Amino acid sequence: MQWKALFLAAAAIPQQVSAQYATAAMMRFQCSRLVVDRIDPLVSPGLIRSPHIHQVVGGDSFNATMEPVAYDLPSESTCTTCSFSEDFSNYWTANLYFRARNGTYKRVKQMVNLGLQGEEGMTIYYIPPYDGHTKVTAFKPGFRMLVGDAMLRTSQNQQKQLCHRCYTNVNQSPFGGAPCADPQMDTAALPNKQCAGGIRATITFPTCWDGKNLDTADHKSHVAYPEGGSFEMSSPCPASHPVRLPQVMYEVMWDTREFNDPSIWPEDGSQPFVYSMNDSTGYGWHGDYMFGWKGDALQRALDARCSNDKCSQLQTQTPAQATACKKQQLIQEDIDGWLTELPNATM
């Protein structure tokens, strides 16, 4: 989502809060690719060969085993791929692949979002309430969460605000309404047509915390959505989860342009893209989050209501410094060539 597009989002929300978008502040910044690897310290801790391959951004301490609290991301990391150099958090998602007519697969790379610089990766948002004054509490060391369900293949029981948007050009024009709120442009499923400007996939996390647990067995129960409305409307958190969190959102810009050749699409014209957990529906789209900001940096930025990728409260780094931060694969696999099968997709 572009910062200038906040005005466009007004059509997707109740009229009484529309004017608040004009002054809303949100952190929006680039986190470039750290590694593409088959490990998942949240869902499959300690497993060196997780069920499906992920794209990972953020601090270079990302590993198969990252014990809550004991494994301190800021002190374990030596660099980060994010614009804000005090953010050693890790953000990761499944990879998208193109399945050609001949049955082979190729990883879909990511475009850097409008107004940002870097190498692949994703756009990260931290959003305080749009009313301009309601306070939120930054995450605590050791906090982590998951949204979405890798096993899902229908829209039933899908969590809120997970969607795909098909763009006709890389300028994202027309832009459309707020993410996952424009019925003319957003679909929970993967688009069933060619997208000349790529596919934007959005992941939005719950914004209410129980105030006690840094994680739970399902990586979801310690967080919840507001009741009687939405985060955008500054609706209250439920009594069971009273602590108001910033809204964390990922935007992944899948660069599908090299695959927009009808001669390599399935002969029946069916949708040829598949997520790395062998999901061609898109309903299994999910994201993992592991907090790793240094000290009170995130709380300072939220209190100051910083906007975009510049903040007087935070230290930043150049795109060259961010993209120089890399991590070697633990599972050595080809991530750029054509494959005869998905990397160990067992779902």
Side-chain angles (χ1 to χ4, degrees):
M1 184 171 63
Q2 304 174 61
W3 173 244
K4 67 181 181 181
L6 284 174
F7 293 100
L8 300 178
I13 59 173
Q15 188 174 14
Q16 63 266 30
V17 297
S18 298
Q20 295 171 352
Y21 273 78
T23 56
M26 61 179 67
M27 297 165 64
R28 173 187 184 267
F29 56 95
Q30 167 72 12
C31 287
S32 294
R33 188 183 84 197
L34 175 71
V35 68
V36 174
D37 210 348
R38 193 132 43 96
I39 57 175
D40 188 339
L42 193 60
V43 177
S44 306
L47 184 63
I48 311 297
R49 200 173 289 273
S50 62
H52 59 274
I53 200 165
H54 301 91
Q55 60 138 347
V56 186
V57 304
D60 69 340
S61 65
F62 185 79
N63 215 322
T65 302
M66 302 172 75
E67 185 180 348
V69 183
Y71 195 88
D72 182 60
L73 278 67
S75 61
E76 295 286 346
S77 299
T78 62
C79 64
T80 177
T81 69
C82 297
S83 301
F84 292 118
S85 56
E86 295 168 280
D87 182 11
F88 300 98
S89 306
N90 284 123
Y91 314 86
W92 66 100
T93 74
N95 278 273
L96 186 67
Y97 285 82
F98 174 78
R99 182 173 53 211
R101 181 176 298 186
N102 65 5
T104 59
Y105 298 84
K106 190 174 184 181
R107 183 179 71 92
V108 180
K109 296 181 179 180
Q110 304 96 52
M111 292 183 280
V112 176
N113 216 335
L114 295 180
L116 300 173
Q117 294 180 294
E119 177 189 355
E120 293 199 64
M122 60 184 89
T123 312
I124 303 297
Y125 291 78
Y126 285 85
I127 310 173
Y130 293 109
D131 62 12
H133 60 80
T134 298
K135 297 291 186 180
V136 289
T137 300
F139 307 97
K140 304 301 181 186
F143 185 92
R144 60 271 312 271
M145 59 180 167
L146 165 71
V147 68
D149 182 349
M151 301 294 290
L152 207 61
R153 297 296 180 267
T154 69
S155 60
Q156 187 175 2
N157 298 321
Q158 188 179 38
Q159 286 183 264
K160 297 179 181 180
Q161 295 175 297
L162 300 169
C163 69
H164 302 84
R165 183 172 294 189
C166 179
Y167 279 114
T168 58
N169 58 75
V170 294
N171 295 320
Q172 300 178 22
S173 177
F175 181 79
C180 306
D182 190 328
Q184 301 301 315
M185 298 186 71
D186 294 321
T187 57
L190 281 162
N192 59 3
K193 59 185 178 182
Q194 291 190 3
C195 302
I199 300 170
R200 188 186 76 189
T202 300
I203 291 172
T204 311
F205 288 84
T207 55
C208 299
W209 177 41
D210 66 12
K212 302 173 183 177
N213 297 293
L214 298 174
D215 194 9
T216 44
D218 62 358
H219 314 297
K220 296 180 179 182
S221 298
H222 58 311
V223 290
Y225 297 97
E227 59 181 8
S230 68
F231 173 84
E232 291 81 4
M233 297 168 61
S234 299
S235 299
C237 285
S240 59
H241 295 74
V243 181
R244 194 187 299 265
L245 300 169
Q247 187 177 66
V248 176
M249 184 171 76
Y250 304 169
E251 285 182 343
V252 182
M253 307 299 299
W254 298 114
D255 191 356
T256 58
R257 291 175 295 175
E258 70 171 290
F259 307 109
N260 285 340
D261 177 358
S263 69
I264 61 175
W265 274 50
E267 291 187 81
D268 62 3
S270 60
Q271 190 282 120
F273 293 100
V274 54
Y275 279 116
S276 52
M277 59 281 190
N278 200 20
D279 173 24
S280 60
T281 68
Y283 294 120
W285 178 229
H286 62 286
D288 303 72
Y289 174 74
M290 191 172 292
F291 174 78
W293 283 79
K294 186 176 181 179
D296 66 346
L298 180 58
Q299 188 67 63
R300 295 197 316 269
L302 292 168
D303 290 346
R305 305 191 87 82
C306 292
S307 292
N308 296 314
D309 59 348
K310 300 292 188 295
C311 177
S312 62
Q313 299 294 317
L314 299 176
Q315 298 176 15
T316 59
Q317 60 181 348
T318 66
Q321 289 172 315
T323 56
C325 185
K326 299 292 184 190
K327 188 174 180 66
Q328 292 294 316
Q329 285 182 314
L330 287 178
I331 306 298
Q332 295 298 315
E333 291 178 304
D334 184 3
I335 63 169
D336 291 320
W338 287 92
L339 307 174
T340 57
E341 60 183 2
L342 292 175
N344 201 39
T346 58
M347 295 185 175

